[in-house]
Amino acid sequence: MTDRWPELDYGGWRETCSALHLYLQIVGKYRLAHSPWLNHSWNATFYVTPLGLSTSSIPDGDDIEITFDLHSHRVVGTNGEGRSEAFALGPMTVAQFHSAFVGLVRSLGGDPSFNGTPNEVPMPVPFEEDHRDRPYDREAVERCHQALKSIDRVFKAFRTSFLGKSSPVHLFWGALDLAVTRFSGRRAPLHAGGIPSLPDDVAREAYDREVSSAGFWPGGNGIDYPAFYAYAYPAPEGFRGSEVEPREAFWHETLSEFVLPYDAVRTSDDPDAALMAFLTSTYAAAADRGSWDRDLLDCSHGRPKIVRTPDAAVVETAPAPRGVIEREDSHSKGRYRLIVDGIEAEMTYSRAGTDLIIIDHTDVPSALRGRRIGERLVQQAVEDARAEGVSILPLCPFAKAQIERHPEWQDVLSR
């Protein structure tokens, strides 16, 4: 069975990672040069696929898509006429990669014109002039791709619990980070710029709205190990002092961001839950301290084939019916359920460590609404949390609203 969270030894594949970073910049700059500007540079990114990383369709010639196939270790170009061209990834110079890529685009009927100098790297050398031999560690590349697939899956699940403006889960080739960003809906102060090898107008446009952003670096960017990060712009007062999950996460003074080492996630009992706890707790810190309208913006995590319940349909006023609330619990997930007249209502949660549960979804079927069933489920979770000495993080908007209406329940809230 494939290791979904493989070991990533950044020191062992640093040079290959640096080479791959520059190769992605070359292709990314080609996409940037031919795609209409989309807010926050979203027109220039890559997307994780089962095979590797893809640009999606680029409006050049009869449309061209470029894929880094990290299984067969090739760069593959496909155009709208159904033709494909490819060249192998392996030990080479950046100049050789640049030349091969320019030839691939031309053979597909495209225009290989784009900026020829790297961004966001120290001492950038124009691609055509970079003749230093670069290694290519195939196994390390495959491990990184496997990690990116696992991270992409969790990031996408996290994205489903937000109703406001949110970025796709995408890979920026500037800093080589897989990222997902949420927006408060409010304007932000003008960014100061000054990011090395990045035009100020690009940085300022990227941060012209308030954001809470999280991502993953394979290494570099001020740290010598793979890690997750989370930040807010502008950072609200007290953000850096917020308590976040899991316990291995910390505030990095130099980067001014929360950082969670990849190894802390990989070696945890439930890597998906550990990463989700980091994403949800850092977002909650940014949104709560920044006074985001979470009642309007947040929702429960999406599930296959389950339509989100509209906010207007969760108001409950009638007396609660009788019935016994049942609880199903495991080391990582659980749920409360109540069956009334043969119809089941439920509230689900995830465990983030031993002392925090995250309520992520409440589902009261339409036939049971108006009977205070959801309120009973939340109350039961509060009572159990007190008995077990754990805290609750209510990411489900309904559960959050219920706890806000009951000050006597708020002693169990995660602070």
Side-chain angles (χ1 to χ4, degrees):
M1 181 177 177
T2 301
D3 184 358
R4 289 171 57 182
W5 294 91
E7 182 177 359
L8 299 179
D9 176 17
Y10 179 63
W13 82 297
R14 183 194 303 264
E15 289 301 314
T16 294
C17 184
S18 175
L20 187 61
H21 184 188
L22 292 170
Y23 304 158
L24 287 164
Q25 289 222 6
I26 289 170
V27 178
K29 282 175 170 282
Y30 163 68
R31 183 184 180 198
L32 178 65
H34 295 276
S35 302
W37 190 270
L38 182 60
N39 46 255
H40 318 298
S41 304
W42 296 354
N43 59 307
T45 58
F46 289 88
Y47 311 98
V48 177
T49 74
L51 290 179
L53 296 167
S54 171
T55 61
S56 74
S57 182
I58 299 169
D60 183 31
D62 193 21
D63 294 336
I64 294 175
E65 180 178 15
I66 306 297
T67 298
F68 280 74
D69 185 335
L70 303 181
H71 280 246
S72 63
H73 301 280
R74 302 182 303 157
V75 174
V76 181
T78 307
N79 71 6
E81 298 174 348
R83 292 193 295 114
S84 294
E85 298 288 342
F87 63 89
L89 285 167
M92 66 178 77
T93 68
V94 173
Q96 288 172 328
F97 180 97
H98 180 272
S99 177
F101 177 67
V102 166
L104 179 147
V105 171
R106 284 187 177 136
S107 69
L108 293 173
D111 173 15
S113 59
F114 52 90
N115 183 279
T117 303
N119 289 107
E120 299 185 66
V121 297
M123 298 178 290
V125 177
F127 302 125
E128 291 182 291
E129 300 173 17
D130 190 340
H131 298 288
R132 180 163 70 88
D133 290 329
R134 309 275 181 160
Y136 188 79
D137 185 335
R138 294 168 66 100
E139 292 183 358
V141 169
E142 291 170 8
R143 287 195 298 272
C144 183
H145 175 233
Q146 178 59 51
L148 287 174
K149 288 193 295 179
S150 294
I151 296 162
D152 182 71
R153 183 182 61 252
V154 178
F155 279 15
K156 285 176 177 174
F158 170 67
R159 185 174 183 247
T160 65
S161 62
F162 193 72
L163 296 174
K165 174 182 170 182
S166 177
S167 77
V169 179
H170 47 193
L171 187 138
F172 286 100
W173 41 262
L176 194 60
D177 58 322
L178 188 69
V180 60
T181 301
R182 293 176 169 186
F183 296 78
S184 74
R186 300 187 301 240
R187 290 184 174 86
L190 184 66
H191 194 278
I195 299 175
S197 302
L198 183 68
D200 285 348
D201 60 346
V202 174
R204 287 168 177 157
E205 194 274 343
Y207 294 106
D208 72 339
R209 296 293 189 273
E210 290 183 348
V211 303
S212 171
S213 188
F216 168 77
W217 292 308
N221 299 291
I223 53 176
D224 290 327
Y225 51 88
F228 301 94
Y229 67 80
Y231 66 87
Y233 181 80
E237 183 177 355
F239 177 63
R240 63 188 295 166
S242 302
E243 293 185 11
V244 300
E245 298 287 339
R247 64 179 181 275
E248 293 87 355
F250 64 95
W251 179 260
H252 196 293
E253 290 292 343
T254 303
L255 298 176
S256 294
E257 299 177 346
F258 286 106
V259 169
L260 173 64
Y262 170 81
D263 276 352
V265 171
R266 181 181 69 84
T267 59
S268 68
D269 291 339
D270 188 337
D272 287 35
L275 177 53
M276 185 65 77
F278 179 71
L279 299 174
T280 54
S281 63
T282 52
Y283 161 69
D288 289 344
R289 293 184 179 275
S291 299
W292 290 28
D293 188 348
R294 296 189 62 188
D295 186 54
L296 182 67
L297 296 171
D298 294 3
C299 65
S300 59
H301 289 285
R303 296 185 298 167
K305 299 187 291 184
I306 303 296
V307 179
R308 181 183 68 82
T309 302
D311 295 84
V314 297
V315 178
E316 302 186 38
T317 57
R322 294 181 179 181
V324 177
I325 295 176
E326 300 176 8
R327 183 181 183 186
E328 300 171 359
D329 187 59
S330 70
H331 74 284
S332 61
K333 297 182 184 299
R335 71 168 184 151
Y336 292 90
R337 71 172 192 155
L338 177 61
I339 299 176
V340 178
D341 300 331
I343 303 172
E344 180 185 86
E346 72 165 358
M347 183 177 71
T348 61
Y349 61 87
S350 300
R351 288 189 177 274
T354 59
D355 57 359
L356 178 69
I357 66 170
I358 301 170
I359 298 177
D360 50 34
H361 178 69
T362 303
D363 179 28
V364 178
S366 58
L368 299 181
R369 291 193 186 127
R371 303 170 72 177
R372 301 179 63 188
I373 291 175
E375 181 179 356
R376 286 191 61 194
L377 294 172
V378 177
Q379 182 178 11
Q380 188 65 56
V382 169
E383 292 174 356
D384 288 351
R386 286 190 186 125
E388 297 169 8
V390 302
S391 298
I392 290 177
L393 178 61
L395 293 187
C396 166
F398 176 80
K400 179 176 181 291
Q402 287 295 326
I403 294 175
E404 287 177 349
R405 293 189 188 108
H406 292 272
E408 72 276 14
W409 295 354
Q410 294 174 13
D411 59 298
V412 301
L413 284 178
S414 175
R415 305 294 181 183

